[in-house]
Amino acid sequence: MPRLTIDGKVVDVREGAYVLEAARKAGVEIPALCNHEALEPWGGCRLCMVDVTFEHWDGWYKAVAACLYPVAEGLIVETRTERVTNARKVVLDLLLARCPDTPLIQRLAEEHGITQTSFARNPEQTDCILCGLCTRVCDHLGISAISMVDRGIGREVAPPFKEPPPDCIGCLACAEICPTDHIDYTSTHSRREIWGKSFEMLRCKTCGKAHITVAQADFFADRNGVPRSYFETCDDCKRKAHADIFERLGTGP
Amino acid sequence: MAELSPCTDMAPVDDILGTYPREEASLIQVLQDVQRVYNYLPCEALTRVSEVLGVPLAKVFSVSTFYKAFSIEPQGRVTVKVCMGTACHIRGAPQLVDELTRTLGIAPGETSEDLEFTLKTVNCVGACAMAPVMIVGDAYHGNAMPAKVSSYLGKKGVTDEN
Ligand code: SF4
Ligand code: FES
Ligand code: FES
């Protein structure tokens, strides 16, 4: 287990972890926008910059993205140096220029002493910070219905041809992981709409709750070889059914 | 090759796909070949590429829109590029663009309705000594003059007004 020092705190962390995880274990907060524990780190937002060094580096420091920098024995991490703070400020200043009306960005910027961007405000309103969490979670699920489209200032998250995505199953993983709630959807007892596509809902046989889309049930039944009947009841009711069985066993003769 | 009716004739795409291994790593080469044949990437072609290589359509679309070498809109038979690099810019490239826009009736990035010309601006083509430079198809025109724009459009080879 590598032992490292983060802002003077000594912490042991599992082999193969990245600095961000170690910092969380040490109780040191590092802001991070494009990181999610369920996904591979990506290093896209650059908000998690920290300084790292080793005893034998003779006072040299290197600025790295904490979410992508592997831990090592004897690593010394500084998260509050002037250089680190300045790097974060630049990132937040730019993000605030892109998303001036997005509460999450406003809050983070304010925490770093920025109330107004020093760049020109983006004339096109958007809450998307291009963190890539939505497209990566979609890939991770093996669906890949949406992706990053175009480049430069035109870059955006979109389905192929910017039309309702054929591969989308309406799981809402993208909308739920989005840190800024940029992805719109509606979901009722009967239908769900996302990315311009409309889905029929599957209702729980026991409680009637619309728990997943028919397309989701079909997809997972087909891909994971789960019997289609598995999806007829919702997770809550399944849990309840199991609990009932255990209760009966527990109070049995 | 613009005579091909791209939205119906997918045979060239299948020919191209036949020459590469059916794997994700072939994607860019296949797209380059498709772009060469059609002068753009027709949406049917992207769908076919996605199916045959087993790469999600969203990924294919992402790559197709990322690289400048690819276009998802039909392109003119001839691409007219005006260099907007620093040297060309200060030596009158914007006036060349204005003149071209007037002559062809299209703004940079657009294609004329007859699919003859696509107008593009580029950044430094490495011929700053002859700035401003405009390129019609493969023909470079140095020290280009707005008054001569129409004549460049019909010319082959290299010209230099100096
Ligand atoms: S839509 Fe949300 S999750 Fe997707 S890139 Fe934009 S901010 Fe990130
Ligand atoms: S969280 Fe590390 S770069 Fe985004
Ligand atoms: S700036 Fe036009 S060729 Fe260099």
Side-chain angles (χ1 to χ4, degrees), chain B residues 3-57:
Chain B
E3 300 80 37
L4 274 178
S5 146
C7 285
T8 48
D9 186 9
M10 280 295 114
V13 178
D14 290 330
D15 290 346
I16 291 166
L17 282 163
T19 60
Y20 292 99
R22 295 185 167 212
E23 56 193 29
E24 186 165 3
S26 304
L27 180 61
I28 293 199
Q29 278 163 302
V30 168
L31 292 180
Q32 279 174 330
D33 289 1
V34 174
Q35 171 84 32
R36 210 167 294 132
V37 171
Y38 295 92
N39 218 354
Y40 82 111
L41 301 173
C43 63
E44 293 85 346
L46 294 186
T47 309
R48 184 72 64 96
V49 169
S50 154
E51 283 163 9
V52 174
L53 296 185
V55 179
L57 187 57

Side-chain angles (χ1 to χ4, degrees), chain A residues 139 144-145 147-151 161, chain B residues 43 56 58-59 61-62 65-66:
Chain A
D139 285 343
S144 294
S147 63
M148 287 288 176
V149 171
D150 285 327
R151 63 186 297 165
F161 309 110
Chain B
C43 63
K59 286 257 166 67
F61 190 67
S62 182
T65 55
F66 183 82

Side-chain angles (χ1 to χ4, degrees), chain A residues 127-135 148 157 174 177-183:
Chain A
D127 283 325
C128 178
I129 56 170
L130 298 174
C131 67
L133 284 172
C134 53
T135 56
M148 287 288 176
V157 171
C174 56
I177 206 170
C178 177
T180 62
D181 287 336
H182 171 66
I183 300 173

Side-chain angles (χ1 to χ4, degrees), chain B residues 83 85-88 124-128:
Chain B
C83 178
T86 313
C88 293
C124 193
V125 295
C128 311

Side-chain angles (χ1 to χ4, degrees), chain A residues 47-60:
Chain A
L47 190 59
C48 67
M49 296 302 286
V50 293
D51 270 335
V52 295
T53 188
F54 286 95
E55 210 65 78
H56 63 271
W57 280 11
D58 288 335
W60 280 91

Side-chain angles (χ1 to χ4, degrees), chain B residues 76-77 104-106 110-119:
Chain B
R77 201 179 52 80
L104 299 174
I106 48 174
E110 292 180 354
T111 298
S112 62
E113 241 164 67
D114 59 3
L115 286 185
E116 190 59 21
F117 293 105
T118 295
L119 180 57

Side-chain angles (χ1 to χ4, degrees), chain A residues 29-251:
Chain A
E29 206 197 317
I30 299 176
L33 279 172
C34 69
N35 196 264
H36 193 283
E37 53 275 34
L39 300 171
E40 286 294 308
W42 187 55
C45 74
R46 299 277 134 182
L47 190 59
C48 67
M49 296 302 286
V50 293
D51 270 335
V52 295
T53 188
F54 286 95
E55 210 65 78
H56 63 271
W57 280 11
D58 288 335
W60 280 91
Y61 276 88
K62 179 158 88 168
V64 300
C67 67
L68 269 183
Y69 200 79
V71 296
E73 180 63 36
L75 186 72
I76 302 164
V77 183
E78 298 290 346
T79 78
R80 313 220 160 250
T81 60
E82 199 184 328
R83 189 159 79 146
V84 168
T85 319
N86 285 342
R88 284 191 199 146
K89 277 187 174 169
V90 172
V91 172
L92 286 167
D93 198 358
L94 285 163
L95 280 173
L96 195 60
R98 177 180 168 82
C99 305
D101 303 317
T102 305
L104 172 69
I105 301 305
Q106 287 172 337
R107 204 195 71 221
L108 279 169
E110 217 177 300
E111 283 170 13
H112 288 76
I114 304 170
T115 45
Q116 203 134 41
T117 176
S118 61
F119 300 100
R121 266 176 76 106
N122 180 6
E124 280 163 52
Q125 207 283 327
T126 179
D127 283 325
C128 178
I129 56 170
L130 298 174
C131 67
L133 284 172
C134 53
T135 56
R136 285 183 289 141
V137 76
C138 194
D139 285 343
H140 183 74
L141 290 169
I143 299 162
S144 294
I146 53 171
S147 63
M148 287 288 176
V149 171
D150 285 327
R151 63 186 297 165
I153 53 166
R155 194 162 174 81
E156 61 176 320
V157 171
F161 309 110
K162 306 190 186 175
E163 278 166 14
D167 294 329
C168 182
I169 55 170
C171 72
L172 298 190
C174 56
E176 272 159 13
I177 206 170
C178 177
T180 62
D181 287 336
H182 171 66
I183 300 173
D184 283 330
Y185 68 91
T186 57
S187 198
T188 68
H189 285 310
S190 52
R191 298 207 77 81
R192 179 178 287 172
E193 320 251 342
I194 187 164
W195 295 113
K197 199 169 167 180
S198 182
F199 297 91
E200 190 193 329
M201 296 303 291
L202 198 65
R203 305 186 67 159
C204 172
K205 227 171 45 186
T206 314
C207 70
K209 192 173 94 185
H211 63 128
I212 54 173
T213 66
V214 172
Q216 264 176 292
D218 291 344
F219 178 84
F220 290 114
D222 191 45
R223 189 187 68 179
N224 301 356
V226 184
R228 188 68 167 60
S229 58
Y230 179 81
F231 301 101
E232 285 172 3
T233 41
C234 73
D235 287 345
D236 283 347
C237 289
K238 270 195 217 99
R239 230 172 281 130
K240 220 174 282 159
H242 283 128
D244 287 348
I245 294 173
F246 284 129
E247 200 171 17
R248 245 180 291 129
L249 288 176
T251 57

